[in-house]
Coordinates of all heavy atoms in Angstrom, one line a residue:
G1 N 8.6 29.3 -86.0 CA 8.9 29.5 -87.4 C 9.6 28.4 -88.1 O 9.1 27.8 -89.0
K2 N 10.9 28.1 -87.7 CA 11.7 27.1 -88.3 C 11.1 25.7 -88.2 O 11.0 24.9 -89.2 CB 13.1 27.1 -87.8 CG 13.9 28.4 -88.0 CD 15.3 28.3 -87.4 CE 15.3 28.2 -86.0 NZ 15.3 29.5 -85.2
T3 N 10.6 25.3 -87.0 CA 10.0 24.0 -86.8 C 8.8 23.8 -87.6 O 8.5 22.8 -88.2 CB 9.8 23.8 -85.3 OG1 11.0 23.9 -84.5 CG2 9.1 22.5 -85.0
T4 N 8.0 24.9 -87.6 CA 6.7 24.8 -88.3 C 7.0 24.6 -89.8 O 6.2 23.9 -90.5 CB 5.9 26.1 -88.1 OG1 5.7 26.3 -86.7 CG2 4.6 26.1 -88.8
L5 N 8.0 25.3 -90.3 CA 8.3 25.1 -91.7 C 8.7 23.7 -92.1 O 8.3 23.1 -93.0 CB 9.5 26.1 -92.1 CG 10.0 25.9 -93.6 CD1 8.9 26.3 -94.6 CD2 11.2 26.8 -93.8
V6 N 9.6 23.1 -91.2 CA 10.0 21.7 -91.5 C 8.8 20.7 -91.3 O 8.7 19.8 -92.1 CB 11.1 21.3 -90.5 CG1 11.5 19.8 -90.6 CG2 12.4 22.1 -90.7
E7 N 7.9 21.0 -90.3 CA 6.7 20.1 -90.2 C 5.8 20.2 -91.4 O 5.3 19.2 -91.9 CB 6.0 20.5 -88.9 CG 6.7 20.1 -87.7 CD 6.1 20.7 -86.4 OE1 5.4 21.7 -86.5 OE2 6.4 20.1 -85.3
Y8 N 5.7 21.4 -91.9 CA 4.9 21.7 -93.1 C 5.5 20.9 -94.3 O 4.8 20.2 -95.1 CB 4.8 23.2 -93.4 CG 4.2 23.5 -94.8 CD1 2.8 23.4 -94.9 CD2 4.9 23.8 -95.9 CE1 2.2 23.7 -96.2 CE2 4.4 24.1 -97.1 CZ 3.0 24.0 -97.2 OH 2.4 24.3 -98.4
L9 N 6.8 21.1 -94.5 CA 7.5 20.4 -95.7 C 7.3 18.9 -95.6 O 7.1 18.2 -96.6 CB 8.9 20.8 -95.8 CG 9.2 22.3 -96.2 CD1 10.6 22.6 -96.0 CD2 8.7 22.5 -97.6
A10 N 7.5 18.3 -94.3 CA 7.4 16.9 -94.1 C 6.0 16.4 -94.5 O 5.8 15.4 -95.2 CB 7.7 16.5 -92.7
A11 N 5.0 17.2 -94.1 CA 3.6 16.8 -94.4 C 3.3 16.9 -95.9 O 2.7 16.0 -96.5 CB 2.6 17.7 -93.7
R12 N 3.8 17.9 -96.6 CA 3.7 18.1 -98.0 C 4.4 16.9 -98.8 O 3.9 16.5 -99.8 CB 4.2 19.4 -98.5 CG 3.5 20.6 -98.0 CD 2.2 20.8 -98.8 NE 2.5 21.1 -100.2 CZ 1.6 21.3 -101.1 NH1 0.3 21.2 -100.8 NH2 1.9 21.5 -102.3
A13 N 5.5 16.4 -98.2 CA 6.2 15.3 -98.8 C 5.6 14.0 -98.4 O 6.1 12.9 -98.9 CB 7.7 15.4 -98.5
G14 N 4.6 13.9 -97.6 CA 4.0 12.7 -97.2 C 4.7 12.0 -96.1 O 4.6 10.7 -95.9
H15 N 5.5 12.7 -95.3 CA 6.2 12.1 -94.2 C 5.7 12.6 -92.8 O 5.2 13.7 -92.7 CB 7.7 12.5 -94.3 CG 8.4 11.8 -95.4 ND1 8.9 10.5 -95.4 CD2 8.7 12.3 -96.7 CE1 9.4 10.2 -96.6 NE2 9.3 11.3 -97.3
R16 N 5.9 11.8 -91.8 CA 5.6 12.2 -90.4 C 6.8 12.9 -89.9 O 8.0 12.5 -90.2 CB 5.2 11.0 -89.6 CG 4.9 11.4 -88.2 CD 4.1 10.3 -87.4 NE 3.8 10.8 -86.1 CZ 4.4 10.4 -85.0 NH1 5.3 9.4 -85.1 NH2 4.1 10.8 -83.8
C17 N 6.7 13.9 -89.1 CA 7.8 14.6 -88.5 C 7.7 14.4 -87.0 O 6.7 14.7 -86.3 CB 7.7 16.1 -88.8 SG 9.1 17.1 -88.4
V18 N 8.9 14.0 -86.4 CA 9.0 13.8 -85.0 C 9.9 14.8 -84.4 O 11.0 15.0 -84.8 CB 9.5 12.3 -84.7 CG1 9.7 12.2 -83.2 CG2 8.6 11.3 -85.2
R19 N 9.4 15.5 -83.4 CA 10.2 16.6 -82.8 C 10.7 16.1 -81.4 O 9.9 15.6 -80.6 CB 9.3 17.8 -82.6 CG 10.0 19.0 -81.9 CD 9.0 20.1 -81.8 NE 9.6 21.2 -81.0 CZ 8.9 22.2 -80.5 NH1 7.6 22.2 -80.7 NH2 9.5 23.1 -79.8
I20 N 12.0 16.1 -81.2 CA 12.6 15.7 -80.0 C 13.2 16.9 -79.3 O 14.1 17.6 -79.8 CB 13.7 14.6 -80.2 CG1 13.1 13.4 -81.0 CG2 14.3 14.2 -78.9 CD1 14.1 12.4 -81.4
N21 N 12.6 17.3 -78.1 CA 13.1 18.4 -77.3 C 14.2 18.0 -76.5 O 14.2 16.9 -75.9 CB 11.9 19.0 -76.5 CG 10.9 19.6 -77.3 OD1 11.2 20.4 -78.2 ND2 9.6 19.3 -77.0
N22 N 15.2 18.8 -76.4 CA 16.4 18.5 -75.6 C 16.5 19.5 -74.5 O 16.0 20.7 -74.5 CB 17.7 18.7 -76.5 CG 17.8 17.5 -77.5 OD1 18.2 16.5 -77.1 ND2 17.3 17.8 -78.7
H23 N 17.2 19.1 -73.4 CA 17.4 20.0 -72.2 C 18.6 19.4 -71.5 O 19.2 18.4 -72.0 CB 16.2 20.0 -71.3 CG 15.7 18.6 -71.0 ND1 16.2 17.8 -70.1 CD2 14.6 17.9 -71.5 CE1 15.6 16.6 -70.0 NE2 14.6 16.7 -70.9
E24 N 19.1 20.1 -70.5 CA 20.4 19.7 -69.9 C 20.3 18.3 -69.2 O 21.3 17.7 -68.9 CB 20.8 20.7 -68.8 CG 19.9 20.9 -67.7 CD 18.8 22.0 -68.0 OE1 18.7 22.5 -69.1 OE2 18.0 22.3 -67.1
H25 N 19.1 17.8 -69.0 CA 18.9 16.4 -68.4 C 18.5 15.4 -69.4 O 18.1 14.2 -69.0 CB 17.8 16.5 -67.3 CG 18.2 17.5 -66.2 ND1 19.3 17.3 -65.4 CD2 17.6 18.7 -65.8 CE1 19.3 18.4 -64.5 NE2 18.4 19.2 -64.8
T26 N 18.6 15.7 -70.7 CA 18.2 14.7 -71.7 C 19.2 13.5 -71.6 O 20.4 13.7 -71.4 CB 18.3 15.3 -73.1 OG1 17.5 16.4 -73.2 CG2 18.0 14.2 -74.2
D27 N 18.6 12.3 -71.6 CA 19.4 11.1 -71.4 C 19.5 10.4 -72.8 O 18.5 10.3 -73.5 CB 18.8 10.2 -70.4 CG 19.6 9.0 -70.0 OD1 20.2 8.3 -70.9 OD2 19.7 8.7 -68.8
V28 N 20.7 9.8 -73.1 CA 20.9 9.2 -74.4 C 19.9 8.0 -74.6 O 19.4 7.7 -75.7 CB 22.3 8.7 -74.6 CG1 22.7 7.5 -73.7 CG2 22.6 8.4 -76.0
Q29 N 19.4 7.4 -73.5 CA 18.5 6.3 -73.6 C 17.1 6.8 -74.1 O 16.3 6.0 -74.6 CB 18.4 5.6 -72.2 CG 19.6 4.8 -71.9 CD 19.5 4.2 -70.5 OE1 18.8 4.7 -69.6 NE2 20.3 3.1 -70.4
E30 N 16.8 8.1 -73.9 CA 15.5 8.6 -74.4 C 15.6 8.5 -75.9 O 14.6 8.3 -76.6 CB 15.3 10.1 -74.0 CG 15.1 10.2 -72.5 CD 15.0 11.7 -72.1 OE1 14.3 12.5 -72.7 OE2 15.7 12.0 -71.1
Y31 N 16.8 8.7 -76.5 CA 16.9 8.7 -77.9 C 17.0 7.2 -78.4 O 16.4 6.9 -79.4 CB 18.3 9.3 -78.3 CG 18.2 10.8 -78.5 CD1 18.5 11.7 -77.4 CD2 17.9 11.4 -79.7 CE1 18.4 13.0 -77.6 CE2 17.9 12.7 -79.9 CZ 18.1 13.6 -78.9 OH 18.1 14.9 -79.0
T32 N 17.9 6.4 -77.8 CA 18.2 5.1 -78.3 C 17.3 4.0 -77.8 O 17.0 3.0 -78.5 CB 19.7 4.8 -78.1 OG1 19.9 4.8 -76.7 CG2 20.6 5.7 -78.8
G33 N 16.9 4.1 -76.5 CA 16.1 3.0 -75.9 C 16.8 2.4 -74.7 O 17.9 2.8 -74.4
S34 N 16.1 1.5 -74.1 CA 16.6 0.8 -72.9 C 15.9 -0.5 -72.7 O 14.9 -0.8 -73.3 CB 16.5 1.7 -71.7 OG 15.1 2.0 -71.5
Y35 N 16.4 -1.3 -71.8 CA 15.8 -2.5 -71.4 C 14.7 -2.2 -70.4 O 14.9 -1.4 -69.5 CB 16.8 -3.5 -70.8 CG 17.6 -4.2 -71.9 CD1 18.8 -3.7 -72.3 CD2 17.1 -5.3 -72.6 CE1 19.6 -4.3 -73.2 CE2 17.9 -5.9 -73.6 CZ 19.1 -5.4 -73.9 OH 19.8 -6.0 -74.9
A36 N 13.6 -2.9 -70.6 CA 12.4 -2.8 -69.6 C 11.7 -4.1 -69.6 O 11.7 -4.9 -70.5 CB 11.5 -1.6 -70.1
A37 N 10.9 -4.3 -68.5 CA 10.1 -5.5 -68.4 C 8.9 -5.4 -69.3 O 8.3 -4.4 -69.4 CB 9.7 -5.7 -66.9
D38 N 8.6 -6.5 -70.0 CA 7.4 -6.5 -70.9 C 6.2 -7.0 -70.0 O 6.3 -7.2 -68.8 CB 7.6 -7.3 -72.1 CG 7.9 -8.8 -71.8 OD1 7.6 -9.3 -70.7 OD2 8.4 -9.5 -72.7
S39 N 5.1 -7.2 -70.7 CA 3.9 -7.6 -69.9 C 4.0 -9.0 -69.2 O 3.3 -9.2 -68.3 CB 2.7 -7.6 -70.9 OG 2.9 -8.5 -71.9
D40 N 4.9 -9.8 -69.7 CA 5.2 -11.1 -69.1 C 6.3 -11.1 -68.0 O 6.6 -12.1 -67.4 CB 5.5 -12.1 -70.1 CG 4.4 -12.4 -71.1 OD1 3.2 -12.3 -70.7 OD2 4.7 -12.6 -72.3
G41 N 6.8 -9.9 -67.8 CA 7.9 -9.7 -66.8 C 9.3 -10.0 -67.3 O 10.2 -10.0 -66.6
R42 N 9.4 -10.3 -68.6 CA 10.7 -10.6 -69.2 C 11.3 -9.2 -69.6 O 10.7 -8.3 -70.1 CB 10.5 -11.5 -70.4 CG 10.2 -12.9 -70.1 CD 10.0 -13.7 -71.3 NE 8.7 -13.3 -71.8 CZ 8.2 -13.7 -73.0 NH1 8.9 -14.5 -73.7 NH2 7.0 -13.3 -73.4
L43 N 12.6 -9.2 -69.5 CA 13.4 -8.0 -69.9 C 13.6 -8.0 -71.4 O 14.1 -9.0 -72.0 CB 14.8 -8.1 -69.2 CG 15.5 -6.7 -68.9 CD1 14.6 -5.8 -68.2 CD2 16.8 -7.0 -68.2
S44 N 13.2 -6.9 -72.0 CA 13.4 -6.8 -73.5 C 13.8 -5.3 -73.8 O 13.5 -4.4 -73.0 CB 12.1 -7.2 -74.2 OG 11.1 -6.3 -73.9
F45 N 14.4 -5.2 -74.9 CA 14.9 -3.8 -75.3 C 13.7 -3.1 -76.0 O 13.1 -3.6 -76.9 CB 16.1 -3.9 -76.3 CG 16.7 -2.6 -76.5 CD1 17.5 -2.0 -75.6 CD2 16.4 -1.9 -77.7 CE1 18.1 -0.8 -75.9 CE2 17.0 -0.7 -78.0 CZ 17.8 -0.1 -77.0
R46 N 13.5 -1.9 -75.6 CA 12.5 -1.0 -76.2 C 13.2 0.2 -76.9 O 13.9 0.9 -76.2 CB 11.5 -0.5 -75.1 CG 10.8 -1.7 -74.5 CD 9.4 -1.3 -74.1 NE 8.8 -2.5 -73.5 CZ 8.0 -2.5 -72.5 NH1 7.6 -1.3 -72.0 NH2 7.5 -3.6 -72.0
D47 N 12.9 0.3 -78.1 CA 13.5 1.4 -78.9 C 13.1 2.8 -78.3 O 12.0 3.0 -77.9 CB 13.1 1.4 -80.4 CG 13.7 0.3 -81.1 OD1 14.7 -0.3 -80.7 OD2 13.1 -0.1 -82.2
G48 N 14.1 3.7 -78.3 CA 13.8 5.1 -77.9 C 13.1 5.9 -79.1 O 13.0 5.3 -80.2
I49 N 12.8 7.1 -78.8 CA 12.0 7.9 -79.8 C 12.8 8.1 -81.1 O 12.2 8.0 -82.2 CB 11.6 9.2 -79.1 CG1 10.6 9.9 -80.1 CG2 12.7 10.1 -78.8 CD1 9.9 11.1 -79.4
L50 N 14.1 8.3 -81.0 CA 14.9 8.5 -82.2 C 14.9 7.3 -83.1 O 14.7 7.3 -84.3 CB 16.3 9.0 -81.9 CG 17.2 9.2 -83.1 CD1 16.6 10.3 -84.0 CD2 18.6 9.6 -82.7
V51 N 15.2 6.1 -82.4 CA 15.3 4.9 -83.1 C 14.0 4.5 -83.8 O 13.9 4.1 -84.9 CB 15.8 3.7 -82.2 CG1 15.7 2.4 -82.8 CG2 17.2 4.0 -81.7
Q52 N 12.9 4.7 -83.0 CA 11.6 4.5 -83.6 C 11.3 5.3 -84.9 O 10.9 4.8 -85.9 CB 10.5 4.8 -82.6 CG 10.4 3.8 -81.4 CD 9.3 4.3 -80.4 OE1 8.4 5.1 -80.7 NE2 9.5 3.9 -79.2
A53 N 11.7 6.6 -84.8 CA 11.5 7.5 -85.9 C 12.3 7.1 -87.1 O 11.9 7.0 -88.3 CB 11.8 8.9 -85.5
L54 N 13.6 6.7 -86.9 CA 14.5 6.3 -87.9 C 14.0 5.0 -88.6 O 14.0 4.9 -89.8 CB 15.9 6.1 -87.4 CG 16.6 7.4 -86.9 CD1 18.0 7.1 -86.3 CD2 16.8 8.4 -88.1
R55 N 13.6 4.1 -87.8 CA 13.1 2.8 -88.4 C 11.9 3.0 -89.3 O 11.7 2.3 -90.2 CB 12.8 1.8 -87.3 CG 14.0 1.3 -86.5 CD 13.6 0.1 -85.6 NE 14.5 -0.2 -84.6 CZ 15.6 -1.0 -84.7 NH1 15.9 -1.4 -85.9 NH2 16.4 -1.2 -83.7
R56 N 11.1 4.0 -88.9 CA 9.8 4.2 -89.7 C 10.0 5.2 -90.8 O 9.1 5.5 -91.5 CB 8.7 4.7 -88.7 CG 8.4 3.6 -87.7 CD 7.4 4.1 -86.7 NE 7.2 3.1 -85.7 CZ 6.8 3.3 -84.4 NH1 6.7 4.5 -84.0 NH2 6.6 2.3 -83.6
G57 N 11.2 5.8 -90.9 CA 11.5 6.7 -92.0 C 10.9 8.1 -91.8 O 10.7 8.9 -92.7
H58 N 10.6 8.4 -90.5 CA 10.1 9.8 -90.2 C 11.2 10.8 -90.3 O 12.4 10.5 -90.1 CB 9.5 9.8 -88.8 CG 8.4 8.9 -88.6 ND1 7.4 8.6 -89.6 CD2 8.0 8.1 -87.5 CE1 6.5 7.7 -89.1 NE2 6.9 7.4 -87.9
W59 N 10.8 12.1 -90.5 CA 11.7 13.2 -90.4 C 11.9 13.5 -88.9 O 10.9 13.3 -88.2 CB 11.1 14.4 -91.1 CG 11.2 14.3 -92.6 CD1 11.3 13.2 -93.4 CD2 11.1 15.4 -93.5 NE1 11.2 13.5 -94.7 CE2 11.1 14.8 -94.8 CE3 10.9 16.7 -93.4 CZ2 11.0 15.6 -96.0 CZ3 10.8 17.5 -94.5 CH2 10.9 17.0 -95.8
V60 N 13.0 14.0 -88.5 CA 13.3 14.2 -87.1 C 13.8 15.6 -86.9 O 14.7 16.1 -87.7 CB 14.4 13.2 -86.6 CG1 14.7 13.5 -85.1 CG2 13.9 11.8 -86.7
I61 N 13.3 16.3 -86.0 CA 13.7 17.6 -85.6 C 14.3 17.5 -84.2 O 13.7 17.1 -83.2 CB 12.6 18.7 -85.5 CG1 12.0 18.9 -86.9 CG2 13.1 20.0 -84.9 CD1 10.7 19.7 -86.9
L62 N 15.6 17.8 -84.1 CA 16.3 17.8 -82.8 C 16.3 19.2 -82.2 O 17.2 19.9 -82.4 CB 17.7 17.2 -82.9 CG 17.9 15.9 -83.6 CD1 19.3 15.5 -83.8 CD2 17.2 14.8 -82.7
D63 N 15.2 19.5 -81.5 CA 15.0 20.9 -81.0 C 15.9 21.2 -79.8 O 16.1 20.3 -78.9 CB 13.5 21.0 -80.7 CG 13.1 22.4 -80.8 OD1 13.8 23.3 -81.4 OD2 12.0 22.7 -80.3
E64 N 16.5 22.4 -79.8 CA 17.3 22.8 -78.7 C 18.5 21.9 -78.4 O 18.9 21.6 -77.3 CB 16.5 23.0 -77.4 CG 15.3 23.9 -77.5 CD 15.7 25.4 -77.7 OE1 16.9 25.7 -77.4 OE2 14.9 26.2 -78.1
L65 N 19.1 21.4 -79.5 CA 20.2 20.4 -79.4 C 21.4 21.0 -78.6 O 22.1 20.2 -78.0 CB 20.6 19.9 -80.8 CG 21.6 18.8 -80.9 CD1 21.0 17.5 -80.2 CD2 21.9 18.4 -82.3
N66 N 21.5 22.3 -78.7 CA 22.6 22.9 -78.0 C 22.5 22.7 -76.5 O 23.5 22.8 -75.7 CB 22.7 24.4 -78.3 CG 21.4 25.1 -77.9 OD1 20.3 24.7 -78.3 ND2 21.5 26.2 -77.2
L67 N 21.4 22.3 -75.9 CA 21.2 22.1 -74.5 C 21.5 20.7 -74.1 O 21.5 20.4 -72.9 CB 19.7 22.5 -74.1 CG 19.3 23.9 -74.3 CD1 17.9 24.1 -73.9 CD2 20.2 24.9 -73.5
A68 N 21.6 19.8 -75.1 CA 21.8 18.3 -74.8 C 23.2 18.1 -74.2 O 24.2 18.8 -74.6 CB 21.6 17.5 -76.0
P69 N 23.3 17.2 -73.2 CA 24.6 16.8 -72.6 C 25.5 16.2 -73.7 O 25.1 15.7 -74.7 CB 24.3 15.8 -71.6 CG 22.8 15.9 -71.3 CD 22.2 16.4 -72.6
S70 N 26.8 16.3 -73.4 CA 27.8 15.8 -74.4 C 27.7 14.4 -74.7 O 27.9 14.0 -75.9 CB 29.3 16.1 -73.9 OG 29.5 15.4 -72.6
E71 N 27.2 13.5 -73.8 CA 27.1 12.1 -74.2 C 26.0 11.9 -75.2 O 26.0 11.0 -76.0 CB 26.8 11.2 -72.9 CG 25.6 11.5 -72.1 CD 25.8 12.5 -71.0 OE1 26.9 13.0 -70.9 OE2 24.9 12.6 -70.2
V72 N 25.0 12.7 -75.2 CA 23.9 12.6 -76.2 C 24.5 13.1 -77.6 O 24.3 12.4 -78.6 CB 22.7 13.5 -75.8 CG1 21.7 13.7 -77.0 CG2 22.0 13.0 -74.6
L73 N 25.3 14.1 -77.6 CA 25.9 14.6 -78.8 C 26.9 13.6 -79.4 O 26.9 13.3 -80.6 CB 26.6 15.9 -78.6 CG 25.7 17.1 -78.1 CD1 26.6 18.3 -77.8 CD2 24.6 17.4 -79.1
E74 N 27.6 12.9 -78.5 CA 28.5 11.9 -78.9 C 27.8 10.7 -79.6 O 28.2 10.1 -80.6 CB 29.4 11.4 -77.8 CG 30.4 12.4 -77.3 CD 31.1 12.0 -76.0 OE1 31.1 10.8 -75.7 OE2 31.7 12.8 -75.4
A75 N 26.6 10.3 -79.0 CA 25.8 9.2 -79.5 C 25.3 9.6 -80.9 O 25.1 8.7 -81.7 CB 24.7 8.9 -78.5
L76 N 25.0 10.8 -81.1 CA 24.4 11.3 -82.4 C 25.4 11.6 -83.4 O 25.1 11.7 -84.6 CB 23.6 12.6 -82.1 CG 22.4 12.4 -81.3 CD1 21.7 13.8 -81.0 CD2 21.4 11.5 -81.9
N77 N 26.7 11.6 -83.1 CA 27.8 12.0 -84.0 C 27.8 11.3 -85.3 O 27.8 11.8 -86.4 CB 29.1 12.0 -83.3 CG 30.2 12.6 -84.1 OD1 30.0 13.6 -84.7 ND2 31.4 11.9 -84.2
R78 N 27.8 9.9 -85.2 CA 27.8 9.1 -86.4 C 26.6 9.3 -87.3 O 26.6 9.2 -88.5 CB 28.0 7.6 -86.1 CG 29.4 7.3 -85.6 CD 29.6 5.9 -85.4 NE 29.4 5.1 -86.7 CZ 29.8 3.9 -86.9 NH1 30.4 3.3 -86.0 NH2 29.5 3.3 -88.0
L79 N 25.4 9.5 -86.7 CA 24.2 9.7 -87.4 C 24.2 11.1 -88.2 O 23.7 11.1 -89.3 CB 23.0 9.7 -86.4 CG 21.6 9.9 -87.1 CD1 21.3 8.8 -88.0 CD2 20.6 10.0 -86.0
L80 N 24.8 12.1 -87.6 CA 24.8 13.4 -88.2 C 26.0 13.7 -89.1 O 26.0 14.7 -89.8 CB 24.8 14.5 -87.1 CG 23.6 14.4 -86.1 CD1 23.7 15.4 -85.0 CD2 22.3 14.6 -86.9
D81 N 27.0 12.8 -89.1 CA 28.1 13.0 -90.1 C 27.8 12.1 -91.3 O 26.7 11.6 -91.6 CB 29.4 12.7 -89.5 CG 29.7 11.3 -89.1 OD1 28.9 10.4 -89.6 OD2 30.7 11.0 -88.4
D82 N 28.8 11.9 -92.1 CA 28.7 11.2 -93.4 C 28.3 9.7 -93.3 O 27.8 9.1 -94.2 CB 30.0 11.3 -94.2 CG 30.2 12.7 -94.7 OD1 29.2 13.5 -94.8 OD2 31.4 13.1 -95.0
N83 N 28.5 9.1 -92.1 CA 28.2 7.7 -91.9 C 26.7 7.5 -91.9 O 26.2 6.4 -92.4 CB 28.8 7.2 -90.6 CG 30.3 7.1 -90.6 OD1 30.9 6.8 -91.6 ND2 30.9 7.4 -89.5
R84 N 26.0 8.4 -91.4 CA 24.5 8.3 -91.3 C 24.1 7.0 -90.6 O 23.1 6.3 -91.0 CB 23.8 8.4 -92.6 CG 24.0 9.8 -93.2 CD 23.3 9.9 -94.5 NE 23.6 11.2 -95.1 CZ 23.2 11.5 -96.3 NH1 22.5 10.7 -97.0 NH2 23.5 12.7 -96.8
E85 N 24.8 6.6 -89.5 CA 24.5 5.4 -88.8 C 24.3 5.8 -87.3 O 25.0 6.7 -86.8 CB 25.6 4.4 -88.9 CG 25.8 3.9 -90.3 CD 27.0 3.0 -90.4 OE1 27.9 3.0 -89.5 OE2 27.0 2.2 -91.3
L86 N 23.5 5.0 -86.7 CA 23.3 5.2 -85.2 C 23.6 3.8 -84.6 O 23.0 2.8 -84.9 CB 21.9 5.6 -84.9 CG 21.6 5.8 -83.4 CD1 22.4 6.9 -82.8 CD2 20.1 6.0 -83.2
Y87 N 24.6 3.8 -83.7 CA 25.0 2.5 -83.1 C 24.3 2.4 -81.8 O 24.3 3.3 -81.0 CB 26.6 2.5 -82.9 CG 27.0 1.3 -82.1 CD1 26.9 0.0 -82.7 CD2 27.6 1.3 -80.9 CE1 27.3 -1.1 -82.1 CE2 28.0 0.2 -80.2 CZ 27.8 -1.0 -80.8 OH 28.3 -2.2 -80.2
L88 N 23.7 1.2 -81.6 CA 23.0 0.8 -80.3 C 23.8 -0.2 -79.6 O 23.8 -1.4 -79.9 CB 21.6 0.3 -80.6 CG 20.7 1.2 -81.5 CD1 19.4 0.5 -81.8 CD2 20.4 2.5 -80.7
P89 N 24.7 0.2 -78.6 CA 25.5 -0.7 -77.9 C 24.8 -1.8 -77.2 O 25.2 -2.9 -77.0 CB 26.4 0.1 -77.0 CG 25.7 1.4 -76.9 CD 24.8 1.6 -78.1
E90 N 23.6 -1.5 -76.7 CA 22.8 -2.4 -75.9 C 22.4 -3.7 -76.7 O 22.3 -4.8 -76.2 CB 21.5 -1.8 -75.4 CG 21.7 -0.7 -74.4 CD 21.9 0.7 -75.0 OE1 22.0 0.8 -76.3 OE2 22.1 1.7 -74.3
T91 N 22.2 -3.5 -78.0 CA 21.8 -4.6 -78.9 C 22.8 -4.9 -80.0 O 22.6 -5.8 -80.8 CB 20.5 -4.3 -79.6 OG1 20.6 -3.1 -80.4 CG2 19.3 -4.0 -78.6
D92 N 23.9 -4.2 -79.9 CA 25.0 -4.3 -80.9 C 24.5 -4.2 -82.3 O 24.9 -4.9 -83.2 CB 25.8 -5.6 -80.7 CG 27.1 -5.6 -81.4 OD1 27.7 -4.6 -81.5 OD2 27.6 -6.7 -81.9
E93 N 23.6 -3.2 -82.5 CA 23.0 -2.9 -83.8 C 23.5 -1.6 -84.4 O 23.8 -0.6 -83.6 CB 21.5 -2.8 -83.7 CG 20.7 -4.0 -83.9 CD 19.2 -3.6 -83.9 OE1 18.7 -3.4 -82.7 OE2 18.6 -3.6 -84.9
T94 N 23.6 -1.5 -85.7 CA 23.9 -0.2 -86.3 C 22.7 0.1 -87.2 O 22.2 -0.7 -87.9 CB 25.2 -0.3 -87.2 OG1 26.2 -0.7 -86.3 CG2 25.5 1.0 -87.8

């Protein structure tokens, strides 16, 4: 019900909606990203699903957020409060 409504409103407003499911094993790197080897074997930072969605201006549904570990909630704190910023310590970006 609730998720479907938000997805419908996003579509009507011309936005893509990204749903991120949470569970007790959700890792903050799934949200923000991590370093990985590229096709040339060089280490480069790859944005996580939340960072990708934010950069593209998509709507985000944080489903079952109550199941996420505290480190995930701490990482999201600045984004969800008045600052509306997400800090990426790996790249020193806000």
Side-chain angles (χ1 to χ4, degrees):
K2 297 180 293 272
T3 298
T4 303
L5 176 62
V6 173
E7 290 172 338
Y8 171 78
L9 291 172
R12 293 283 295 174
H15 292 277
R16 182 162 180 251
C17 188
V18 175
R19 180 178 172 197
I20 302 173
N21 291 312
N22 291 277
H23 48 79
E24 62 273 3
H25 301 294
T26 301
D27 190 312
V28 71
Q29 291 177 333
E30 293 175 47
Y31 275 92
T32 59
S34 61
Y35 282 95
D38 62 17
S39 59
D40 296 327
R42 289 177 286 174
L43 205 56
S44 63
F45 189 78
R46 299 212 180 147
D47 289 340
I49 189 167
L50 178 64
V51 173
Q52 289 175 22
L54 294 174
R55 290 189 196 279
R56 296 173 182 152
H58 299 325
W59 289 20
V60 177
I61 298 173
L62 302 175
D63 208 13
E64 303 292 342
L65 190 57
N66 58 309
L67 298 178
S70 59
E71 62 267 8
V72 169
L73 300 176
E74 289 172 22
L76 296 174
N77 189 43
R78 287 184 62 160
L79 179 63
L80 300 175
D81 70 11
D82 292 338
N83 290 325
R84 296 185 185 172
E85 296 177 336
L86 181 65
Y87 177 65
L88 303 175
E90 295 87 356
T91 60
D92 198 29
E93 268 184 286
T94 301

